């Protein structure tokens, strides 16, 4: 028996429109269909060649499922009573993760329910649950790569404790706006604090400058996601409702830190169960460099997670790294001296910089991208 035809980059189907288009071309052979409701496409499934196709979580009529299996297709049926779709073909949106917020509070949202499921299944060690988490995270990575094709991505890292209403939060928001307006795609860890601020800045990029000032004032009424995630998220959606049509950016959070909700200003959200996959994926996709705002243990880990492939050049040419706040990174958490020593005499030496303020970060990033090696920009 001949092997089924292999997948093709144009053979991933993630919507009914794409499915119908493939059917008009006469064949579904070798296609991968992700989470598309095909209950009303029985005739198409009966008439199309589905040899070697794979249907991932696609509802369909029993006779249609029997027919495509007879063709040699693989059918992975939807998993009932699950608060997330392990086979999803697209990234999340804030509206999707926070659905039900206004009527039932944060605990009623798909985001909170997925975290509760994760906590329950993580404790009982169910291999089926761990398989579903792995499939989900792989699907998210695939969707993220598809979304970022051709994009110049800059990562903005920083702590979740940075409160709304502070100068630091406003500075991180201005940073996100400047980066987005320069044509870069801003990517963050997708959570509260500095991460939310950078996503907010990217959201504000298409709007007049005064929009961000007004949004910051509105958000300051709910400074933190504690004690109420609901109040914190409500304030964010109030900003989105008042100023629709914001700029896009990426948030990459994790249910591993389920006590930290995702922020609502990232236009596309790649949420993972496995934090290690999420961390590495975020840094690996930041092909235009990473800016590190003041943070604690998590941000320190991210600095050296990013420094390691730059040191070994395992991802190719080293990418820029800009650390913001000299006192924080040389005294409070003296990461900069170690990073300098590590990079000495290596190509990455000309791709690191330490700046005093967040407003200096965009220029430093640009100078490193252009290969400028001045001592001022490299923090010497």
């Amino acid at each position: 028996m001949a092997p089924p035809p292999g997948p093709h980059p144009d053979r991933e189907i993630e919507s009914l429109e794409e499915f119908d288009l493939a059917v008009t071309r006469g064949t579904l052979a070798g296609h991968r269909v992700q989470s598309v409701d095909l209950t009303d496409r029985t005739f198409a499934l009966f008439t199309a060649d589905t040899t070697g196709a794979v249907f991932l979580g696609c509802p369909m009529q029993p006779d249609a499922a029997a027919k495509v299996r007879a063709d040699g297709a693989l059918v992975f049926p939807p998993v009932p009573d699950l608060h997330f779709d392990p086979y999803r073909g697209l990234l999340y949106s804030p509206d999707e993760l926070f659905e039900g917020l206004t009527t039932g509070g944060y605990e009623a949202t798909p985001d909170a329910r997925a975290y509760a499921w994760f906590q329950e299944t993580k404790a009982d060690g169910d291999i089926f649950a761990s398989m579903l988490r792995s499939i989900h995270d792989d699907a998210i990575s695939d969707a993220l790569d598809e979304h970022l094709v051709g994009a110049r991505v800059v990562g903005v890292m920083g702590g979740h404790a940075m409160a709304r209403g502070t100068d630091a939060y406003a500075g991180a928001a201005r940073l996100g706006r400047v980066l987005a307006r320069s044509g870069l795609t801003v990517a963050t860890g997708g959570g509260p604090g500095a991460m939310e601020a950078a996503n907010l800045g990217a959201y504000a990029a298409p709007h007049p400058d005064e929009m961000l000032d007004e949004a910051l004032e509105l958000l300051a009424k709910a400074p933190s996601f504690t004690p109420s995630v609901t109040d914190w998220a409500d304030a964010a959606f109030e900003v989105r409702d008042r100023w629709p049509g914001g700029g896009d950016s990426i948030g990459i959070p994790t249910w591993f830190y389920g006590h930290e909700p995702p922020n609502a200003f990232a236009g596309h959200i790649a949420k993972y169960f496995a934090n290690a996959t999420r961390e590495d994926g975020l840094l690996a996709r930041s092909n235009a460099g990473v800016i590190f705002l003041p943070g604690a243990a998590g941000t320190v880990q991210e600095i050296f997670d990013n420094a390691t492939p730059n040191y070994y050049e395992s991802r190719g040419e080293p990418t820029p790294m800009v650390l913001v706040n000299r006192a924080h990174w040389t005294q409070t958490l003296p990461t900069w001296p170690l990073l300098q020593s590590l990079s000495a005499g290596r190509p990455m030496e000309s791709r690191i910089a330490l700046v005093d303020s967040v407003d200096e970060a965009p220029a430093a990033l640009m100078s490193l991208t252009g290969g400028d090696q001045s001592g001022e920009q490299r923090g010497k």
Side-chain angles (χ1 to χ4, degrees):
M1 181 178 178
H8 184 275
D10 294 329
R11 289 183 177 174
E12 285 192 10
I13 295 176
E14 296 156 350
S15 68
L16 271 178
E17 291 77 15
E18 292 176 349
F19 177 86
D20 291 340
L21 180 60
V23 170
T24 63
R25 292 171 176 167
T27 183
L28 293 169
H31 285 67
R32 279 69 173 118
V33 190
Q34 290 178 254
S35 297
V36 180
D37 189 342
L38 301 176
T39 52
D40 293 331
R41 294 297 189 273
T42 299
F43 179 78
L45 291 169
F46 265 94
T47 55
D49 178 11
T50 57
T51 305
V54 180
F55 295 87
L56 300 166
C58 298
M60 63 181 74
Q61 299 294 346
D63 52 348
K67 182 269 177 185
V68 300
R69 286 192 177 100
D71 278 352
L74 291 176
V75 178
F76 294 79
V79 181
D81 303 321
L82 204 58
H83 298 299
F84 63 95
D85 180 359
Y87 305 116
R88 63 180 301 118
L90 303 173
L91 298 176
Y92 292 101
S93 70
D95 290 331
E96 182 180 2
L97 287 175
F98 285 101
E99 183 181 2
L101 178 73
T102 57
T103 55
Y106 175 68
E107 295 306 316
T109 65
D111 185 68
R113 290 178 176 178
Y115 174 60
W117 176 89
F118 177 39
Q119 290 296 96
E120 178 184 344
T121 57
K122 182 177 66 173
D124 64 23
D126 183 0
I127 191 171
F128 179 58
S130 64
M131 182 192 73
L132 292 175
R133 293 195 296 268
S134 296
I135 292 172
H136 169 274
D137 286 1
D138 189 66
I140 287 293
S141 290
D142 182 64
L144 184 59
D145 286 336
E146 290 175 356
H147 181 77
L148 292 177
V149 169
R152 296 179 60 235
V153 182
V154 58
V156 179
M157 311 298 172
H160 69 267
M162 185 184 288
R164 296 167 173 175
T166 63
D167 289 342
Y169 185 95
R174 291 195 304 272
L175 171 64
R177 185 174 64 181
V178 169
L179 295 172
R181 286 179 173 176
S182 71
L184 295 168
T185 296
V186 174
T188 78
M195 297 170 280
E196 180 189 54
N199 287 129
L200 167 64
Y203 185 88
H207 292 282
D209 287 353
E210 57 268 21
M211 172 267 173
L212 182 56
D213 296 332
E214 295 176 24
L216 291 170
E217 288 184 17
L218 193 156
L219 292 171
K221 298 175 183 177
S224 174
F225 62 96
T226 58
S228 173
V229 175
T230 301
D231 292 345
W232 175 84
D234 276 338
F237 279 100
E238 185 177 346
V239 169
R240 286 167 48 94
D241 291 342
R242 187 176 299 185
W243 293 282
D248 192 20
S249 65
I250 301 295
I252 308 182
T254 174
W255 280 295
F256 183 81
Y257 296 130
H259 63 287
E260 294 182 16
N263 76 73
F265 293 111
H268 291 83
I269 299 174
K271 189 151 191 177
Y272 288 87
F273 287 104
N275 185 51
T277 305
R278 166 251 194 174
E279 289 276 10
D280 185 70
L282 171 56
L283 295 168
R285 291 171 177 85
S286 297
N287 54 17
V290 185
I291 296 173
F292 297 91
L293 302 177
T299 310
V300 171
Q301 176 184 344
E302 289 163 348
I303 288 173
F304 290 104
D305 279 347
N306 196 56
T308 299
N310 280 348
Y311 180 90
Y312 289 110
E313 298 182 68
S314 55
R315 294 177 185 148
E317 185 177 332
T319 52
M321 299 175 63
V322 179
L323 277 62
V324 176
N325 190 317
R326 188 179 303 272
H328 185 83
W329 295 120
T330 61
Q331 300 173 30
T332 307
L333 294 173
T335 302
W336 174 253
L338 178 54
L339 187 61
Q340 272 192 310
S341 297
L342 193 66
S343 65
R346 304 188 72 89
M348 69 176 286
E349 186 176 18
S350 64
R351 294 298 182 94
I352 64 172
L354 174 67
V355 297
D356 291 312
S357 72
V358 70
D359 294 330
E360 299 173 78
L365 182 73
M366 292 298 294
S367 69
L368 295 180
T369 302
D372 185 279
Q373 300 184 28
S374 70
E376 177 72 19
Q377 287 156 335
R378 289 173 47 225
K380 291 186 177 181

